Amino acid sequence: MSYTNKQLEQWDKEYVWHPFTQMKSYIQNNPLIIEKGKGSYLFDIEGKAYLDGYASLWVNVHGHSDPELNSALHEQIEKISHSTLLGSANVPSILLAKKLAEVTPGNLSKVFYSDTGSASVEIALKIAYQYWQNIDSEKYKHKNKFISLDEAYHGDTIGAVSVGGMDLYHRIFQPLLFERIAIPCPYTYRMDEIGNEEEVKRYCLHRLEELLQAESEHIAGLIIEPLVQGAAGMITQPHGFLKEVERLCRAYDVLLICDEVAVGFGRTGTLFACEQEQVVPDIMCIAKGITGGYMPLAATITSDKVYNAFLGNPEEQKTFYHGHTYTGNQLACSIAIKNIELIEQRELVKNIQIKAKAFSQYLSKLYELPIVGDIRQRGLMVGIEIVKNRKSKETFSVHEPIVNQIIMIARSKGLIIRELGPVITMMPVLAMKQEELQQMVDIVYQSIEEALSHYTSVQHN
């Protein structure tokens, strides 16, 4: 099929409904259409190169078009692309499950596949609820609620939205959702009235314990993004917070679900974020980086304790009735196996720790700019909060789209990043070189400077 670049732009606007995008605004501008990628760079249909500063929505690990990942995909295609996991098995899904059991924390060992982070969370919630019913449906008949943090984001399916706490994304669907119980998230930068980081941590944990004391008989599980609440604006949790959450869940007989979709596979400086506080959840959700940014794949991993509650004779009806057509797809699983092998062979996690320290030094320069209020970082996961007034922490109104202007200026300079409300996010390809990380920060600095200069001049006229 032959086409021109102009036709592609026209057809994009005519036929494609983009996610998280107000299409009325989108179709008024020239779309960015990516044609290929290599290493840390994306290339549009005009041939212009862009640093992939959001890792193609937080998924890319080794860079685009990695020869070894390409080879693994080609090799699997020559064998088979897909067969069902319902009632039969396949080789890559078995090998990957074994590998995931080896590399995930503690006694996590049973792997239930799906294809998106949202689905992995949906599965975790259903497993957690049915776990208690399978153990004793009379004793635990009231265990049907979930705890999650304010500003939580766990995906876009109805169950995942139900445990979400982001008003902007979730409010419209409220009539469709099941009840969750919210607890404060330790957003230290925005909790001056509570105190310093340690005081904020104690306050949030105290609120959680009060809730568990009063409601634990109704609570099936607590779901948390370990260390960083990504979509909320890279809200970083105080050190020790996650470990205390685990302790409280154990004390009050509540299942702990760690949503590692965004933070897993090296993003925070360890293979999985919960490792940094020696936390072993009852259920872990993983996706995004699992295939290095090549194929849709997710998994919900449980301990034997949870898995064993689903074993029984047919008449006991303990089976977990859930599944997807492409569950355990061979292409995705074979790529994931190679991705994990390369993470180990290339010592990626160790290199991330080294690069994260350098990245932190580069980022500190941004504080020279008066509208940079806070810089939050874990590994190669960064949020830069833009404020109108650094002292009051007031943000710009929706009628002052300075953050979006920063993003667009950065794009014109060859860097693709995204904003989350007042926060500029930087989620580079994990294998990105240090000089490319420096270049990212330099472009962001220049873009903030230019956007601020434009804003100031408009205000004075």
Side-chain angles (χ1 to χ4, degrees):
M1 182 179 182
S2 60
Y3 48 80
T4 66
N5 289 350
K6 278 294 180 189
Q7 284 176 313
L8 282 176
E9 292 179 6
Q10 177 190 335
W11 295 337
D12 177 48
K13 294 177 180 180
E14 191 171 350
Y15 301 117
V16 182
W17 191 346
H18 289 262
F20 285 92
T21 301
Q22 177 44 255
M23 296 304 295
K24 183 177 180 180
S25 302
Y26 180 88
I27 60 176
Q28 292 172 358
N29 299 295
N30 292 328
L32 171 64
I33 304 176
I34 301 301
E35 185 173 35
K36 59 184 180 180
K38 185 66 179 175
S40 300
Y41 289 88
L42 298 166
F43 298 85
D44 68 16
I45 53 177
E46 303 291 342
K48 182 176 178 179
Y50 303 84
L51 270 172
D52 189 353
Y54 67 162
S56 293
L57 209 56
W58 310 3
V59 300
N60 198 280
V61 174
H62 303 285
H64 297 278
S65 194
D66 182 274
E68 293 193 65
L69 289 175
N70 291 352
S71 178
L73 183 57
H74 293 154
E75 184 178 335
Q76 182 59 46
I77 285 175
E78 293 300 320
K79 296 176 182 177
I80 186 172
S81 293
H82 179 68
S83 65
T84 182
L85 220 59
L86 277 69
S88 62
N90 71 63
V91 175
S93 72
I94 295 168
L95 298 179
L96 177 58
K98 179 177 183 295
K99 188 64 177 177
L100 289 172
E102 292 168 357
V103 300
T104 49
N107 58 357
L108 295 172
S109 60
K110 295 297 188 288
V111 178
F112 196 103
Y113 291 113
S114 55
D115 50 13
T116 69
S118 297
S120 73
V121 166
E122 198 90 5
I123 290 162
L125 299 174
K126 291 175 71 174
I127 287 174
Y129 169 75
Q130 188 175 338
Y131 167 80
W132 296 109
Q133 303 312 304
N134 282 2
I135 290 175
D136 191 327
S137 60
E138 183 57 33
K139 180 179 179 181
Y140 297 119
K141 63 183 178 182
H142 299 300
K143 269 190 177 287
N144 57 11
K145 293 182 173 63
F146 290 88
I147 297 173
S148 64
L149 274 65
D150 288 334
E151 299 304 314
Y153 179 83
H154 296 289
D156 298 325
T157 52
I158 289 298
V161 170
S162 293
V163 293
M166 299 189 71
D167 197 52
L168 176 65
Y169 298 157
H170 303 150
R171 179 182 62 249
I172 185 65
F173 301 109
Q174 196 61 47
L176 303 179
L177 308 181
F178 61 72
E179 181 184 354
R180 78 172 180 117
I181 303 175
I183 57 169
C185 72
Y187 191 175
T188 304
Y189 180 67
R190 292 282 172 188
M191 298 176 78
D192 292 333
E193 73 282 4
I194 304 298
N196 61 28
E197 185 176 69
E198 192 61 29
E199 289 166 330
V200 166
K201 180 176 81 171
R202 284 200 300 268
Y203 168 78
C204 293
L205 290 170
H206 177 68
R207 290 283 300 274
L208 172 58
E209 184 155 25
E210 282 184 327
L211 172 59
L212 289 170
Q213 286 172 345
E215 295 279 352
S216 61
E217 67 180 274
H218 298 115
I219 298 167
L222 180 151
I223 184 166
I224 187 171
E225 300 161 80
L227 302 190
V228 185
Q229 288 183 255
M234 306 300 174
I235 300 174
T236 52
Q237 296 159 7
H239 295 289
F241 177 77
L242 181 66
K243 188 65 179 176
E244 282 298 298
V245 169
E246 179 192 41
R247 182 186 68 79
L248 290 170
C249 285
R250 301 284 179 257
Y252 290 92
D253 213 14
V254 166
L255 294 181
L256 175 62
I257 304 168
C258 280
D259 176 356
E260 291 253 0
V261 169
V263 296
F265 293 95
R267 177 58 63 181
T268 65
T270 47
L271 191 59
F272 298 102
C274 60
E275 293 176 54
Q276 294 183 34
E277 299 199 1
Q278 292 79 53
V279 167
V280 180
D282 298 292
I283 306 173
M284 177 187 280
C285 305
I286 57 175
K288 288 197 182 290
I290 189 172
T291 66
Y294 267 63
M295 299 284 291
L297 181 67
T300 307
I301 311 177
T302 77
S303 63
D304 282 339
K305 180 187 82 168
V306 172
Y307 171 82
N308 289 340
F310 289 79
L311 303 180
N313 297 319
E315 65 272 14
E316 294 178 271
Q317 297 186 341
K318 290 186 173 183
T319 301
F320 184 52
Y321 290 109
H322 188 104
H324 299 271
T325 302
Y326 284 95
T327 292
N329 171 259
Q330 286 96 320
L331 295 178
C333 288
S334 61
I335 283 287
I337 293 166
K338 177 55 70 172
N339 174 46
I340 298 170
E341 287 177 3
L342 294 179
I343 287 173
E344 294 173 340
Q345 291 169 11
R346 296 173 180 177
E347 298 186 313
L348 186 83
V349 172
K350 179 181 176 182
N351 290 331
I352 288 169
Q353 293 170 354
I354 294 168
K355 287 186 287 191
K357 290 179 181 177
F359 203 20
S360 181
Q361 292 175 348
Y362 306 151
L363 289 163
S364 63
K365 179 180 171 63
L366 297 177
Y367 277 123
E368 296 174 4
L369 301 163
I371 60 172
V372 172
D374 193 29
I375 300 173
R376 300 185 285 272
Q377 179 191 7
R378 285 283 190 279
L380 296 184
M381 196 171 190
V382 174
I384 303 158
E385 188 151 349
I386 301 298
V387 294
K388 192 172 185 177
N389 183 299
R390 187 177 277 174
K391 186 175 180 180
S392 69
K393 302 181 183 179
E394 177 191 1
T395 56
F396 290 88
S397 73
V398 292
H399 305 294
E400 302 168 307
I402 191 167
V403 179
N404 181 256
Q405 289 169 7
I406 293 167
I407 301 300
M408 298 311 295
I409 293 169
R411 180 182 293 185
S412 71
K413 295 178 182 294
L415 170 66
I416 299 177
I417 49 176
R418 284 179 63 84
E419 79 269 29
L420 291 166
V423 179
I424 296 167
T425 63
M426 299 172 74
M427 295 278 279
V429 172
L430 291 181
M432 193 174 276
K433 299 172 184 175
Q434 275 190 212
E435 55 266 33
E436 293 170 334
L437 294 173
Q438 172 78 75
Q439 185 183 355
M440 274 185 66
V441 177
D442 289 345
I443 292 173
V444 170
Y445 187 102
Q446 295 161 14
S447 301
I448 295 173
E449 199 170 39
E450 286 186 27
L452 178 58
S453 176
H454 175 73
Y455 173 80
T456 304
S457 66
V458 169
Q459 294 301 303
H460 288 166
N461 290 335

